[in-house]
């Protein structure tokens, strides 16, 4: 791609040295021809520069949706020569089973708790950072760092914390006079363990995004509120929080989408267990395809996730459009 | 990122308007508490990687190890081929990042400066990919690389993640702010498009390119679900997946080895982050603010 592109490039669009000398009579026609030729070269170059990327997007982002729709109407085990069409059977089976509605419910709990708690704590942290107490920068860096670290690694770190025999959890619970629960193997605690880790991982990111939002609030606005006699809480409730609503909306959308797809923490800490107690939609999709080799069920569940996330994304786009007209 | 006066800065200004308060003592306490929330897990993890088994298994919890050891790293290596994981991670992250950045630059340049019929639609086509949830594409992408015989290969690990709509968009925005005269001057000097990109566009947009590159590097290095699916031979696993072996092989009796392996996964990105955090945060803030 590159060598051909450079040859063409030497004489293309903006270059002037390439025009052949012409006789005065045919000059206009010659110029027009040269312009066409330049445009054609531009097309070729565009293709050389942009098509690899666009082709990869077509194959690995768009095609999966199309084939996924088809596969969700079939049964297949990866091995049989071809997938058998079964119509809506996969969807019917999912919703008539007792396990799948539970998976959806659990996913909803996961997403709502993770998003709400992360946003509330993140905003509190951002307001704290905005005070600019000495040492704030260091704590900001520290809080943000989990965002750039492997989720799998963060999960193992928390496995250590949650360990009921040697971990910090035992220390904390013994301080309250009880023994630590076996977080990751006890069905009533496992989901909450994962939720805590997800919140811990996302908190710093949310805080920094909120901090950027807070820093964009003009000082005069706060000044005016103060002159009007607003206390801290009133100023926050009436001025700061409303002005942060675009940030909040952005975070709700992006955090919801990523919470839906949370995977590495589950894979590392519980593997969907114990007894399916931490099987969310994202783990279910993986497990159905790659442990049970039930392609139809997995792709039907994928379609459900796709539709839900699409609806959320459309909401975001409509919101953005509305803001543009302001 | 423009630096605006923060409300707090206004408050701390020498002349306090009536009713303004100085930062309270509890702000400092809250900050220390917040620091501990992040510091304690990280401290326990790093210290455990260097603790002896006696210290790890003793109770009460030993916050300060009696002695330090490197045994855990040796143990991690014997439980799983971490050298191979490291090689795989480095190859995938290096090639993946490089390809992603090169493709983003060339695509952004094409969209910003070259003509093409229906370019607008192609741009929308590209941005539309941002809406496709990654998790939903896993199954079919696995089938696709299976058809291409790329399961358990570097190509299979790298290819699906190389196209980048977000990075391209970010660079496109940046390229468009470059004055056209700069390009014309370059071309008058006889530079072709490649020369123009290499000697003018890239140097001028270095901050944006660094940001795109860093985000790509972090994504590639931390990638979990795709490497888990696209490989099944232990020799093709990447570092984050390698942690799974430490866990499964030993049912986590060997906390030291698990933390040593974890340190191995975390350390490179921690260093990258500390060295380049302003680019990472700027890219993130830029993405948010522009919305």
């Amino acid at each position: 791609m590159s060598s051909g592109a450079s040859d063409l490039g030497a004489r293309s669009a903006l270059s002037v040295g390439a025009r052949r000398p012409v006789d005065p009579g045919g000059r206009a026609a010659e110029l027009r021809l040269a312009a066409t030729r330049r445009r054609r070269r531009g097309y070729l170059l565009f293709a050389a520069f942009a098509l690899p990327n666009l082709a990869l997007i077509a194959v690995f982002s768009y095609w999966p949706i199309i084939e996924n729709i088809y596969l969700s109407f079939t049964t297949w085990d990866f091995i049989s020569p071809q997938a058998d069409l079964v119509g809506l059977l996969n969807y019917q089976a999912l919703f008539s089973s007792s396990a799948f509605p539970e998976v959806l419910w659990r996913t909803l709990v996961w997403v709502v708790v993770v998003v709400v708690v992360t946003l509330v704590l993140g905003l509190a942290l951002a307001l704290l950072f905005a005070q600019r107490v000495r040492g704030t920068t260091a704590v900001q860096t520290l809080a943000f760092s989990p965002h750039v670290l492997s989720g799998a690694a963060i999960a193992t770190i928390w496995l250590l914390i949650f360990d009921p025999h040697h971990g910090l959890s035992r220390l904390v619970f013994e301080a309250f006079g009880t023994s630590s629960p076996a977080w990751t193997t006890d069905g009533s605690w496992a989901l909450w363990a994962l939720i805590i880790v997800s919140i811990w991982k996302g908190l710093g990111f949310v805080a920094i995004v909120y901090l950027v939002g807070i820093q964009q609030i003009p000082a005069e606005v706060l000044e005016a509120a103060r002159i009007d006699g607003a206390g801290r809480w009133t100023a926050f409730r009436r001025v700061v929080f409303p002005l942060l609503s675009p940030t909040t909306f952005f975070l709700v959308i992006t955090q919801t989408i990523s919470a839906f797809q949370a995977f590495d923490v589950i894979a590392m800490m519980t593997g969907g267990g114990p007894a399916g107690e931490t099987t969310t939609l994202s783990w279910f999709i993986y497990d159905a395809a790659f442990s049970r080799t039930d392609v139809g069920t997995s792709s039907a569940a994928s379609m459900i996730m796709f539709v839900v996330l699409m609806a959320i994304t459309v909401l975001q786009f409509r919101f953005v459009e509305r803001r543009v007209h302001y | 990122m423009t630096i605006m006066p923060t409300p707090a800065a206004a408050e701390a200004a020498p002349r306090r308007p009536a009713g303004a308060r100085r930062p309270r003592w509890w702000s400092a306490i809250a900050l220390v508490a917040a620091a501990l929330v992040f510091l304690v897990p990280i401290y326990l993890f790093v210290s455990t990687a260097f603790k002896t088994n006696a210290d790890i298994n003793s109770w009460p919890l030993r916050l300060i190890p009696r002695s330090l050891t490197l045994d855990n790293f040796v143990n991690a290596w014997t439980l799983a081929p971490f050298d191979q994981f490291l090689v795989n991670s480095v190859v995938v992250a290096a090639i993946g990042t490089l390809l992603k950045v090169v493709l983003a630059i060339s695509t952004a340049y094409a969209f910003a400066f070259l003509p093409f019929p229906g370019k607008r639609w192609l741009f929308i086509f590209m941005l539309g990919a941002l809406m496709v949830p990654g998790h939903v594409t896993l199954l079919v992408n696995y089938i696709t690389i299976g058809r291409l015989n790329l399961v358990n290969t570097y190509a299979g690990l790298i290819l699906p993640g190389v196209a980048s709509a977000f990075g391209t968009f970010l660079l496109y925005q940046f390229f468009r702010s470059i004055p056209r005269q700069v390009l014309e001057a370059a071309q008058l000097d006889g530079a072709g498009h490649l020369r123009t990109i290499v000697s003018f566009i890239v140097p001028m947009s270095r901050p944006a390119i660094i940001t795109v590159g860093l985000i790509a590097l972090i994504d590639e290095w931390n990638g979990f679900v795709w490497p888990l699916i696209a490989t099944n031979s232990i020799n093709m696993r990447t570092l984050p997946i390698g942690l799974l072996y430490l866990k499964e092989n030993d049912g986590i009796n060997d906390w030291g080895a698990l933390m040593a392996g974890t340190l191995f996964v975390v350390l490179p990105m921690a260093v990258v982050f500390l060295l380049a955090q302003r680019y990472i945060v700027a890219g993130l803030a830029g993405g948010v603010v522009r919305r």
Side-chain angles (χ1 to χ4, degrees), chain A residues 88-101 297:
Chain A
L88 288 170
L89 210 66
N90 291 323
Y91 293 93
Q92 264 171 20
L94 278 178
F95 285 105
S96 58
S97 75
S98 64
F100 189 69
T297 300

Side-chain angles (χ1 to χ4, degrees), chain A residues 293-317:
Chain A
T293 63
D294 183 350
V295 174
T297 300
S298 175
S299 48
S302 285
M303 284 317 297
I304 291 164
M305 184 190 260
F306 178 68
V307 170
V308 171
L309 293 185
M310 212 31 136
I312 294 170
T313 310
V314 168
L315 204 74
Q316 176 184 21
F317 273 73

Side-chain angles (χ1 to χ4, degrees), chain A residues 160-204:
Chain A
L160 176 74
I161 304 287
F162 284 136
D163 183 63
H165 307 297
H166 314 295
L168 187 67
S169 174
R170 177 170 170 187
L171 194 73
V172 172
F173 276 79
E174 281 188 356
F176 288 99
T178 51
S179 55
S180 164
W183 288 89
T184 52
T185 50
D186 181 335
S188 47
W189 289 82
L191 191 70
W192 300 103
L194 301 184
I195 285 175
I196 290 171
V197 179
S198 293
I199 292 168
W200 188 82
K201 183 167 167 30
L203 196 53

Side-chain angles (χ1 to χ4, degrees), chain B residues 5-164:
Chain B
T6 67
E11 246 171 301
R15 270 199 206 166
R16 287 159 197 279
R21 304 155 182 86
R22 58 185 82 228
R24 298 179 187 182
W25 56 270
W26 55 257
S27 301
I29 292 181
L31 196 69
V32 171
L36 286 179
V37 166
F38 293 97
L39 212 49
V40 168
I42 294 170
Y43 169 75
L44 288 174
F45 138 61
V46 176
S47 63
T48 303
F50 294 100
K51 274 184 196 169
T52 58
N53 270 335
D55 273 2
I56 293 170
N57 294 322
S58 77
W59 193 260
L61 184 62
R62 278 200 181 278
L63 293 176
I64 297 157
R66 275 175 303 192
S67 61
L68 300 178
T69 173
L70 293 175
D71 285 356
N72 297 319
F73 292 87
V74 179
N75 290 345
W77 252 257
T78 46
L79 286 168
F82 260 77
D83 47 352
Q84 185 63 47
F85 299 157
L86 178 67
V87 169
N88 296 339
S89 267
V90 168
V91 169
V92 170
I95 298 180
T97 303
L98 191 74
L99 284 177
K100 208 165 180 170
V101 171
V102 167
L103 280 187
I105 291 174
S106 74
T107 313
Y109 182 84
F111 274 116
F113 302 120
L114 297 172
F116 201 73
K119 193 163 87 166
R120 226 185 98 79
W121 290 108
L122 286 175
F123 198 67
I124 291 169
F125 172 83
M126 182 188 76
L127 287 186
L130 288 174
M131 299 204 296
V132 178
H135 201 83
V136 174
T137 64
L138 294 172
L139 170 61
V140 175
N141 281 347
Y142 172 73
I143 295 170
T144 302
I145 67 156
R147 285 186 189 126
L148 299 169
N149 278 323
L150 293 178
V151 176
N152 277 327
T153 64
Y154 287 137
L157 274 169
I158 293 167
L159 267 187
V162 155
S164 116

